[in-house]
Structure formats: structure tokens, C-alpha cells
Amino acid sequence: MGSANRLKLGLFGANCSSGRAVTMVPERWSGSWPDCLQLAQMADRAGIEFMLPIGRWKGYGGATDYQGATLETMTWACGLLAKTERLTVFGTVHAPLIPPLIAAKEFVTADHIGAGRFGLNLVCGWNEGEFEMFGATLRDHEARYAYAQEWLDVVKLAWSPAEDFDFAGAFFNLKGVRAKPKPYAGTRPMIMNAGASATGQAFAIRNCDALFSTISHGISFAETVRHAAKVQALARKQGREIDVYTVGVVTCRPRAREAAEYYRHCIVENADWDAVDSILAMKNIMPQTHAPDEFRRIREHQANGMGGLPLVGDPDMVARDLTQLAAAGLTGIAVSFVNYLDELPYFAAEVLPRLARSGLREKPGVI
Ligand SMILES: Cc1cc2nc3c(=O)[nH]c(=O)nc-3n(C[C@H](O)[C@H](O)[C@H](O)COP(=O)(O)O)c2cc1C
């Protein structure tokens, strides 16, 4: 990603209605194109490194139909890349839902539009209801990653200088493949994956430039350090380097109490609990399967941006938490807000300069 900042920052989930906060508050995120475009241009000026969309095909219901209206991520990325100058914009693509050669060409097209600023978030899928919509079958967990391996091998071959090639695998049998143009200016798009299982993480370590891991509330600083170090050591054993990122939800206000109150207002008092429960049920997390305290903890965590580190407090507190992540060996974090456009200016004005003073980032641009 095009900056030398030690802690890279991105915005996560802006292509979806409600973004990542499962809340009913009226100011929740629209996910509309004009709002996404304004946000991307603001982020670009502030020196934020990337925008990461969510590949979501079916909303989760509830009073808000949480994430019910989503902009398709590849076309979204192309639009934003055309209208920004520095940002990396990811497309989030479900490998099993699109043939790899069509996908490879879409990626190259986006990469040319952005002059090398396109990134790929490869996902294998987990939500059966989404797959049924396509008439597709969600493979068992291990097979999902075996399929994704071949799929990505084909994409990388299509990007390579190879002129014509054949591919014979367990899932694809392709003859006389020709794919031009190649990615922008002899580079290739950055590839990330967010596998959480051992198989998913091994896939990322083998194939990707970055692994995004959710560090849930309660996981200690020491565990975070261990996780990042373990992933990086496993990559080095294969002669590779991998960056480790995480995901967070920012509620930053001038006073810590205000931040805590707003968090409570959005995420507890006005959470869209029906949507939360429907998401959790898809993951088999229910009162019948979990102890009451544990169920309550996970439920609240899920309401706050579908999981992810809650960064709640005044600018000093939020900057301190972010500084700790960098010290733990993380390369960066993708954050969300209840309303990105309303809240990014304050974050950029107050938190980014503190990170610059800690030496983690360049001084932010004026938005
Ligand atoms: C940062 C991040 C982004 C993700 N984006 C998506 C997405 O857009 N669409 C999706 O279906 N799954 C998404 N996932 C889910 C992961 O791709 C993956 O399925 C999940 O972490 C479970 O890991 P596993 O496949 O190793 O079991 C995301 C997860 C994280 C942490």
C-alpha cells in the first residue's frame, strides 16, 4: 500500500447499508454511492491508505435489514479508483461465485483504472443462504480453501507474463488461456485474505500479502503479539513475508464519557438485536449453545461492527490503543464508524496528528 507509514489505516464496510454497526440509530451509514465517493475522497486527502468493502449478497434482516443494500465491490472499487489519487481500494470477491478468468480480467481492469492501486480481498464464503441465491453449494470448509487455491493459481497465471497456458487441476481444466493486458506497470495487485481457521490462515500465509485477523474484545495485548509473530514466522519458513492487520470500530469523542455514552446509545440501547441474533444463529451461536454470560458478551460484541476491536474514548485513548497495535507487530487496521462521513473529520483532526507525533504516520493532509 502506497505509504511508508508504520501503522496503516483503512476504512472497512462502507459499501454496505449500516456499514458495520448493527444499530437502528437514524444517523447510521447509508452505504449510498454519493456518500461512499465523498468518504473516499476525504480519506484520500487525509492520507488514509485503503478502503475495504464487504462482499455481501443478502442482508441479515431485523428492523434495519442490516447490510441489506450493498454496492457490488468490484464496480464500487473501479468508481472510487477513478475518482481518487492515492488510496488503495480493494474488491472483495467470493472465489466460488465467479470464474477465475473473468475475475482476473476485472482485477486487471480495476488496477489500470487506479494505476496500480487495486487490491484483492479473496473470500471463500461462509453464509449458506447467500450461496443458495446463486444456486451454488457451499463446499465443506477444507474444500473451500482447496478450490480457492486453484482459483488463485489461475488468476496469478493470468496476471503473469505467460503468453498462452493450459491449466489442469481438480476443479479447473482450462485450455489455451490468453489473458491481456497484464496488471498495471509490471506490478501485481496486493492480495489479502481474512481466514480465521488454521486452514484459512495457512492459505493466507501461502498466497497473500496480508492476513486480516479479528482480535476480539478481551483478547490480550500479549495474545495479539503472539498471533502476529506466529503468522510472520510461519510465512518466513516458506520464504515469504506477510503483513498482519486487524479490524476495529472507532467511537472517538472529545471526552471519554461522551464516547462511552454514544457507544452505549448505538450499540446497546439501539442495537438491531433481531439482526444480531440472525447473524449469530448462522454461526450457531444461540442461547441453547452458549452460557448466558458468554452469549451476552458475544452478542454485544457482534452489535459493535460485527466483531472487531472497540476503540472507544477520547483522542488520547484511541491513539494509545492504535499505538499499542503497532507495537504488537500489526501493520495496520481497518476501522469503521457508525457514520463514516460525520466521524472521520474528527478522527483525522485529532487522532491522526497524535499518531504522527508518535512516529507511526506522516502528518495527515487537510480534509
Ligand atoms: C477483515 C475481514 C473481512 C472479511 N470480509 C468478508 C466478506 O466481505 N465477505 C465474506 O463472506 N466473508 C468475509 N470475511 C470472512 C472471512 O473471509 C472468513 O470466512 C472468516 O474469517 C472465517 O475464517 P475461515 O474461513 O478460516 O473459517 C471477512 C473476515 C474479516 C476478518
Side-chain angles (χ1 to χ4, degrees), residues 141-215:
H141 191 271
E142 297 303 296
R144 273 176 229 169
Y145 281 97
Y147 180 91
Q149 184 65 57
E150 271 194 20
W151 189 93
L152 187 58
D153 289 344
V154 172
V155 168
K156 284 184 174 174
L157 271 171
W159 287 350
S160 76
E163 275 290 310
D164 286 0
F165 66 89
D166 296 340
F167 186 94
F171 301 98
F172 298 103
N173 191 6
L174 315 175
K175 294 216 167 59
V177 177
R178 190 173 296 171
K180 294 190 214 169
K182 303 299 175 187
Y184 181 75
T187 60
R188 71 153 173 80
M190 173 179 173
I191 304 172
M192 63 156 281
N193 172 264
S197 62
T199 309
Q201 292 190 10
F203 176 87
I205 290 167
R206 244 185 355 261
N207 297 291
C208 299
D209 305 298
L211 170 69
F212 277 61
S213 294
T214 307
I215 299 170

Side-chain angles (χ1 to χ4, degrees), residues 63-83:
T64 59
D65 189 18
Y66 175 66
Q67 293 188 343
T70 60
L71 295 177
E72 189 281 319
T73 72
M74 284 305 304
T75 39
W76 179 87
C78 288
L80 295 184
L81 287 165
K83 296 273 192 177

Side-chain angles (χ1 to χ4, degrees), residues 12 52-56 92 94 121 123-126 130 141 145 192 194-197 200-201 212-214 247:
F12 184 27
L52 176 61
I54 296 175
R56 174 75 58 247
T92 296
H94 283 81
N121 175 19
V123 298
C124 297
W126 58 272
E130 283 190 334
H141 191 271
Y145 281 97
M192 63 156 281
S197 62
Q201 292 190 10
F212 277 61
S213 294
T214 307
V247 178

Side-chain angles (χ1 to χ4, degrees), residues 60 126-129 272-290 295 298-299 302 306:
Y60 292 105
W126 58 272
N127 179 339
E128 217 163 329
D272 185 349
W273 290 117
D274 287 344
V276 172
D277 289 338
S278 120
I279 298 161
L280 292 180
M282 284 176 196
K283 299 179 176 181
N284 203 28
I285 301 171
M286 293 179 280
Q288 298 88 321
T289 57
H290 284 66
F295 182 68
I298 298 175
R299 208 169 173 243
Q302 190 77 27
M306 296 275 282

Side-chain angles (χ1 to χ4, degrees), residues 249-253 259-260 262-263 304 311-314 318 337 343:
V249 185
V250 175
T251 312
C252 187
R253 297 290 184 276
Y262 187 68
Y263 178 90
N304 179 39
L311 300 159
V312 184
D314 63 29
V318 172
F337 301 90
E343 296 177 66

Side-chain angles (χ1 to χ4, degrees), residues 318-341:
V318 172
R320 187 199 56 212
D321 287 350
L322 291 171
T323 305
Q324 280 213 339
L325 291 179
L330 296 187
T331 303
I333 181 167
V335 299
S336 52
F337 301 90
V338 170
N339 184 309
Y340 303 76
L341 268 180

Side-chain angles (χ1 to χ4, degrees), residues 6-7 17 25 38 42 47 83 85 96 98 105 118 120 141 144 204 215-216 227 230 252 274 308 330 353:
R6 251 187 66 208
L7 183 73
S17 59
V25 295
Q38 201 187 335
M42 193 187 269
K83 296 273 192 177
E85 286 167 17
I98 177 169
K105 202 173 258 305
F118 172 72
L120 166 63
H141 191 271
R144 273 176 229 169
I215 299 170
S216 46
H227 171 70
K230 190 182 106 194
C252 187
D274 287 344
L330 296 187

